[in-house]
């Protein structure tokens, strides 16, 4: 998943958010992106949710609890019976996997980052953090479009370097709330790889949160994953050691 | 004097010519014998490897597993496996069986990952089934309940691990999620198939079930029989016995594999054998033709003395035939000697088969066979005999007077 999508809809859903951007009048692509990213930034966040994974063999649900601090540190602990106790830690731009029966932490590198997270449509690579959309991509505003009844800005993003997982993105951003409604992620050959849709939002304390997001990996046949957030808390107190390797294996 | 004696005398009169013809036939016979022995050895090796490591003689899987095998559908499993194993063990004619969980896995060690093919198996049954203990290089086989593994020497080479080292296996689960468990290496094995030796690791069945979070199930049960020819019959009877369960039970002969290519190759090699002998026969034909022209005066003389055209044809045909018999005999004797030696020491294909997805072993042992040897001998004689008959017929058309005037 692209950096923007990560920030919007995926693992970062633990830090996701969206503020109602009433009264704002972003005019340039850069300003729209800045508004979008500003909405997604929280000092800390806690969430409980579920991954509803659909593939050609059927549906299954994986539940999790997650914590995050800033843009760099986050931890997911899976709570469903089949995965109970398994954790994914992102810190210092590295991904670590903890399994209760494994004697060592698994640090993902190289092609292993492209593996699916728990068989979902999200890859570990989607969890890695970047320097932000504006530093990774050249952004242009391609106009406004109505997407599923929502007036949106259509942003075209082209990668500045080959170090990002997706060569280009198209993001449709709600013109009034500055939340990502739809994201298309493309490979270097121009093929559409992933699609992310925010299906439901909820409003709390004046903030708008996407609470149901569907991701489709177009390289797989007949699959999609819905992330559903049942509980969200932001700006809470989290002990920084929660994101340490020592704590992960404790 | 009998024609055969005259023929033998003529052969010895021109030893160089006879030897040249004989060598051509002998080399062809020897080559074909070696080729057939090699094919026999490959066929036997392939069948043994398929039975031991891939398909068994009868394979039991979930009915939808094969169609989805590329995505390792662990949930498409053979349920109630222990009871099925007990049932199979009670059947007459069953020589061995191996319940297995095949799972793709990534080996994780010190920050590096290596792809592998995991096999969860009941080692107590596996020893009797594939004789896995015979391939041990170092260590001992694990037993149920132990978090220990057996790893192919080729696979162990890359992370440079050996007995006593630990490896973490990261694998998909039956729920299509993931799980990881750390295992200690109990033994290294040198499996006969290069691709298997470079990719396979074995863990106890109960630990495989824990790793992939599977219940009392397996992905397949492989069955060996006292008589391989009963495999289709057993597959049918098992399907009837477990009717209603989503199972696909098939004889190994109905599973696509390289074995069918070997059978095809055998047909091709039979054709090649004819070409070999025809090539060898061209020497016979050529030398016979030369001899006819060289011995024109002699032909005229014996014809003038009363030998009929038919007898002259027989004479030349017999000369060629005797050379063919002697040469073919020598060829199969030398070929047999070479085959018998190679049958013991084998032909090590070594790294040539690395990365080759064939179930053929790295060392091929050609197989000497009396029937094949007899066939090659007879084949050589018949083909070369027939080939020499046609130039011999030319002799009958030679007029004695004309022949006697030839200088």
């Amino acid at each position: 998943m692209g950096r923007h999508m990560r920030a919007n809809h995926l693992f970062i859903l633990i830090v996701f958010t969206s503020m109602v951007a009433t009264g704002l009048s972003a005019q340039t692509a850069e300003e729209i992106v800045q508004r979008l990213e500003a909405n997604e930034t929280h000092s800390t966040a806690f969430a409980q949710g579920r991954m509803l994974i659909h593939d050609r063999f059927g549906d299954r649900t994986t539940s999790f609890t997650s914590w995050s601090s800033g843009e760099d540190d986050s931890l997911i602990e899976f709570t469903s019976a089949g995965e109970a106790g398994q954790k994914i830690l992102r810190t210092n731009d590295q991904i670590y996997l903890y399994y209760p029966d494994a004697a060592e932490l698994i640090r993902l590198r190289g092609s292993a980052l492209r593996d699916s997270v728990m068989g979902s449509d999200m890859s570990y690579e989607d969890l890695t953090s970047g320097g932000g959309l504006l530093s990774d991509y050249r952004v242009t505003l391609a106009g406004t479009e109505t997407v599923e009844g929502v007036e949106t800005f259509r942003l075209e993003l082209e990668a500045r370097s080959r170090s990002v997982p997706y060569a280009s993105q198209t993001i449709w951003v709600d013109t009034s709330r500055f939340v990502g409604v739809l994201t298309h992620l493309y490979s270097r050959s121009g093929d559409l790889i992933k699609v992310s849709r925010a299906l439901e939002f909820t409003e709390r304390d004046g903030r708008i949160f996407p609470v149901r997001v569907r991701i489709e990996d177009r390289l797989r046949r007949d699959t999609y994953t819905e992330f559903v957030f049942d509980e969200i808390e932001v700006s809470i107190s989290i002990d920084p050691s929660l994101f340490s390797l020592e704590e992960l294996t404790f | 004097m009998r024609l055969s004696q005259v023929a033998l005398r003529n052969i010895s009169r021109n030893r160089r010519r006879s030897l040249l013809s004989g060598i051509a036939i002998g080399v062809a016979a020897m080559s074909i014998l070696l080729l057939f022995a090699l094919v026999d050895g490959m066929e036997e090796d392939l069948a043994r490897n398929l039975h031991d490591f891939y398909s068994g003689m009868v394979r039991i899987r979930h009915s939808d597993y094969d169609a989805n095998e590329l995505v390792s559908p662990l949930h498409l499993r053979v349920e109630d496996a222990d009871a099925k194993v007990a049932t199979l063990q009670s059947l007459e004619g069953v020589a061995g069986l191996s319940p297995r969980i095949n799972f793709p896995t990534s080996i994780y060690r010190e920050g590096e990952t290596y792809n592998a093919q995991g096999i969860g198996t009941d080692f107590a049954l596996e020893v009797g089934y594939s004789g896995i203990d015979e391939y041990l290089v170092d260590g001992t086989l694990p037993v149920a309940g132990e978090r220990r593994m057996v790893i192919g020497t080729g696979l162990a080479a890359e992370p440079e691990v050996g007995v006593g080292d630990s490896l973490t296996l990261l694998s998909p689960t039956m729920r299509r999620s993931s799980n990881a468990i750390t295992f200690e290496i109990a033994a290294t094995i040198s499996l006969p198939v290069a691709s298997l030796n470079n990719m396979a690791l074995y863990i106890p069945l109960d630990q495989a079930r824990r790793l992939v979070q599977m219940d009392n199930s397996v992905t397949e049960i492989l069955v060996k029989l006292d008589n391989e020819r009963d495999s289709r019959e057993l597959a049918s009877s098992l399907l009837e016995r477990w009717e209603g369960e989503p199972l696909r039970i098939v004889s190994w002969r109905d599973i696509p594999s390289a074995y069918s290519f070997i059978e095809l190759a055998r047909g091709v090699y039979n054709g090649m054998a004819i070409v070999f002998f025809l090539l060898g026969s061209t020497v016979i034909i050529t030398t016979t033709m030369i001899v006819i022209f060289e011995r024109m005066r002699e032909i005229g003389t014996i014809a003038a003395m009363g030998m009929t055209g038919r007898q002259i044809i027989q004479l030349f045909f017999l000369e060629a035939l005797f050379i063919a018999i002697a040469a073919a005999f020598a060829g199969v004797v030398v070929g047999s000697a070479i085959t018998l030696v190679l049958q013991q020491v084998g032909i090590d294909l070594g790294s040539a088969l690395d990365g080759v997805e064939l179930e053929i072993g790295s060392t091929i042992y050609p197989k000497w066979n009396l029937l094949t040897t007899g066939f090659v001998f007879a084949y050589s004689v018949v083909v070369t005999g027939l080939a020499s008959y046609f130039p011999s017929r030319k002799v009958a058309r030679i007029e004695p007077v004309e022949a006697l005037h030839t200088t």
Side-chain angles (χ1 to χ4, degrees):
Chain A
M1 219 120 296
R3 305 243 152 114
H4 175 70
M5 183 185 241
R6 285 196 300 279
N8 264 342
H9 294 151
L10 299 177
F11 185 47
I12 310 297
L13 280 172
I14 42 191
V15 281
F16 69 113
T17 71
S18 298
M19 292 177 65
V20 177
T22 53
L24 295 174
S25 55
Q27 294 299 313
T28 67
E30 285 75 14
E31 286 171 339
I32 294 168
V33 171
Q34 284 165 358
R35 286 294 308 147
L36 189 67
E37 293 192 316
N39 286 344
E40 295 164 351
T41 304
H42 290 283
S43 57
T44 57
F46 167 81
Q48 284 187 328
R50 292 164 283 147
M51 282 197 297
L52 312 176
I53 303 166
H54 169 86
D55 62 26
R56 59 179 150 144
F57 299 120
D59 298 312
R60 63 189 191 280
T61 301
T62 299
S63 57
F64 62 86
T65 301
S66 62
W67 298 263
S68 69
S69 177
E71 289 189 343
D72 296 327
D73 294 334
S74 48
L75 174 70
I76 296 178
E77 179 171 358
F78 291 93
T79 52
S80 42
E83 300 81 21
Q86 297 181 13
K87 299 174 188 173
I88 302 174
L89 172 68
R90 191 191 77 191
T91 187
N92 298 323
D93 210 18
Q94 299 286 337
I95 299 287
Y96 298 90
L97 307 182
Y98 168 76
Y99 291 90
D101 286 333
E104 59 183 332
L105 284 176
I106 296 174
R107 181 163 71 92
L108 293 180
R109 294 197 305 183
S111 62
L113 287 166
R114 289 194 283 275
D115 288 348
S116 159
V117 176
M118 298 290 171
S120 72
D121 291 67
M122 183 172 69
S123 68
Y124 293 103
E125 194 172 45
D126 296 329
L127 302 178
T128 55
S129 63
L133 284 176
L134 291 177
S135 64
D136 289 342
Y137 292 88
R138 281 182 288 274
V139 187
T140 54
L141 176 60
T144 58
E145 289 178 4
T146 301
V147 176
E148 294 172 2
V150 178
E151 185 70 6
T152 63
F153 295 116
R154 176 179 170 135
L155 299 177
E156 302 287 353
L157 290 80
E158 293 293 329
R160 293 182 190 276
S161 71
R162 297 174 70 89
S163 62
V164 292
Y166 302 103
S168 62
Q169 303 185 26
T170 303
I171 307 171
W172 287 264
V173 181
D174 187 323
T175 55
S176 61
R177 298 181 296 183
F178 286 88
V179 291
V181 175
L182 176 65
T183 304
H184 285 179
L185 299 160
Y186 298 90
S187 67
R188 289 183 217 296
S189 58
D191 296 325
L192 178 60
I193 299 176
K194 285 186 182 174
V195 174
S196 166
R197 283 189 179 81
L199 301 176
E200 285 181 24
F201 295 88
T202 188
E203 185 175 347
R204 290 184 199 168
D205 302 327
R207 291 166 179 258
I208 293 178
F209 297 89
V211 289
R212 190 159 74 90
V213 179
R214 174 181 289 202
I215 315 244
E216 293 174 39
D217 184 341
R218 293 297 178 90
L219 298 180
R220 304 165 73 191
R221 185 158 57 95
D222 189 23
T223 70
Y224 63 81
T225 301
E226 283 191 11
F227 290 82
V228 179
F229 288 84
D230 301 310
E231 185 182 342
I232 300 162
E233 293 178 44
V234 294
S235 302
I236 58 171
S237 173
I238 298 176
D239 183 350
S241 68
L242 182 68
F243 307 107
S244 68
L245 299 183
E246 294 74 21
E247 184 70 16
L248 190 63
T249 54
F250 181 69
Chain B
M1 187 178 284
R2 293 172 59 187
L3 277 177
S4 56
Q5 287 174 312
V6 175
L8 285 172
R9 191 194 61 193
N10 287 342
I11 289 169
S12 61
R13 276 169 52 195
N14 195 336
R15 285 190 182 138
R16 188 177 298 174
R17 172 176 55 82
S18 303
L19 196 62
L20 183 66
S21 304
I23 286 173
I25 301 302
V27 168
M30 182 189 72
S31 303
I32 292 299
L33 186 68
L34 286 171
L35 188 65
F36 282 172
L38 189 64
V39 174
D40 280 347
M42 287 171 71
E43 190 174 58
E44 189 177 87
D45 180 75
L46 188 59
R48 185 173 55 246
N49 291 335
L50 286 169
H51 296 159
D52 288 352
F53 302 110
Y54 295 96
S55 63
M57 291 177 184
V58 173
R59 186 174 71 188
I60 303 167
R61 282 181 170 180
H62 187 283
S63 51
D64 293 333
Y65 187 94
D66 290 354
N68 297 283
E69 189 170 4
L70 286 177
V71 293
S72 300
L74 291 164
H75 64 291
L76 298 175
R77 61 202 190 277
V78 179
E79 297 187 58
D80 203 12
D82 293 350
K84 286 187 173 63
V85 166
T87 300
L88 290 166
Q89 282 175 318
S90 69
L91 296 179
E92 195 175 336
V94 171
L97 51 91
S98 175
R100 295 178 181 178
I101 296 175
N102 297 320
F103 57 95
T105 188
S106 294
I107 294 174
Y108 184 83
R109 181 175 165 82
E110 296 174 350
E112 300 292 335
T113 54
Y114 310 88
N115 290 330
Q117 177 62 41
I119 301 158
T121 188
D122 182 329
F123 281 100
L125 291 173
E126 192 66 45
V127 167
Y129 181 81
S130 64
I132 191 171
D133 53 328
E134 295 169 15
Y135 303 107
L136 279 177
V137 173
D138 193 15
T140 56
L141 294 178
V143 296
E146 289 184 343
R147 282 197 185 165
R148 300 169 75 213
M149 70 160 75
V150 176
I151 187 169
T153 50
L155 181 59
E158 201 174 352
E160 295 180 344
V161 292
V163 173
D165 290 329
S166 291
L167 297 173
T168 297
L169 303 186
L170 177 60
S171 305
T173 68
M174 193 186 78
R175 296 181 72 247
R176 305 190 295 289
S177 188
S178 66
N179 194 19
I181 296 180
T182 301
F183 290 84
E184 180 189 321
I185 297 176
T188 55
I189 50 174
S190 179
L191 295 168
V193 182
S195 58
L196 202 59
N197 198 48
N198 292 336
M199 286 297 286
L201 60 87
Y202 291 79
I203 60 175
L205 187 60
D206 62 319
Q207 296 303 313
R209 284 176 174 154
R210 183 177 177 87
L211 179 63
V212 303
Q213 298 174 345
M214 193 179 279
D215 48 11
N216 175 22
S217 304
V218 291
T219 55
E220 65 185 16
I221 301 174
L222 305 184
V223 184
K224 251 191 210 177
L225 305 174
D226 292 328
N227 188 345
E228 175 273 319
R229 289 193 180 88
D230 296 335
S231 59
R232 284 195 173 111
E233 190 183 333
L234 178 70
S236 298
S237 70
L238 290 176
L239 272 173
E240 279 179 28
R241 179 185 288 265
W242 290 318
E243 191 179 4
E245 292 195 47
L247 296 174
R248 181 165 188 258
I249 306 173
V250 289
S251 161
W252 72 292
R253 288 192 175 273
D254 298 323
I255 298 171
S257 73
Y259 195 81
S260 52
F261 289 107
I262 290 287
E263 289 182 323
L264 178 68
R266 180 175 292 285
V268 173
Y269 291 151
N270 280 333
M272 284 172 61
I274 292 177
V275 174
F276 263 61
F277 286 125
L278 286 178
L279 283 172
S281 301
T282 56
V283 180
I284 291 272
I285 293 168
T286 308
T287 50
T288 305
M289 293 291 285
I290 292 168
V291 165
I292 288 167
F293 287 115
E294 278 180 356
R295 293 160 62 187
M296 197 63 86
R297 287 177 67 87
E298 180 186 334
I299 291 167
T301 303
I302 57 178
M305 289 171 68
M307 189 176 276
T308 64
R310 182 182 176 85
Q311 285 173 318
I312 296 171
I313 290 171
Q314 285 177 343
L315 178 64
F316 279 82
F317 175 70
L318 282 174
E319 285 182 28
L321 188 65
F322 288 156
I323 291 172
I325 289 171
F329 182 76
V332 295
V333 166
V334 174
S336 294
I338 295 172
T339 302
L340 288 168
V341 171
L342 292 175
Q343 189 169 290
Q344 297 303 314
V345 301
I347 301 170
D348 187 4
L349 301 178
S351 58
L353 284 176
D354 282 355
V356 177
E357 293 295 326
L358 276 180
E359 300 89 351
I360 289 179
S362 306
T363 304
I364 302 296
Y365 295 89
K367 190 181 171 193
W368 185 80
N369 183 304
L370 180 61
L371 197 65
T372 304
T373 307
F375 171 74
V376 169
F377 175 74
Y379 202 75
S380 313
V381 171
V382 169
V383 172
T384 50
L386 283 174
S388 64
Y389 174 73
F390 297 102
S392 303
R393 286 175 60 194
K394 181 178 171 61
V395 178
R397 292 196 290 270
I398 297 172
E399 291 296 328
V401 175
E402 184 186 335
L404 287 167
H405 279 94
T406 305
T407 56

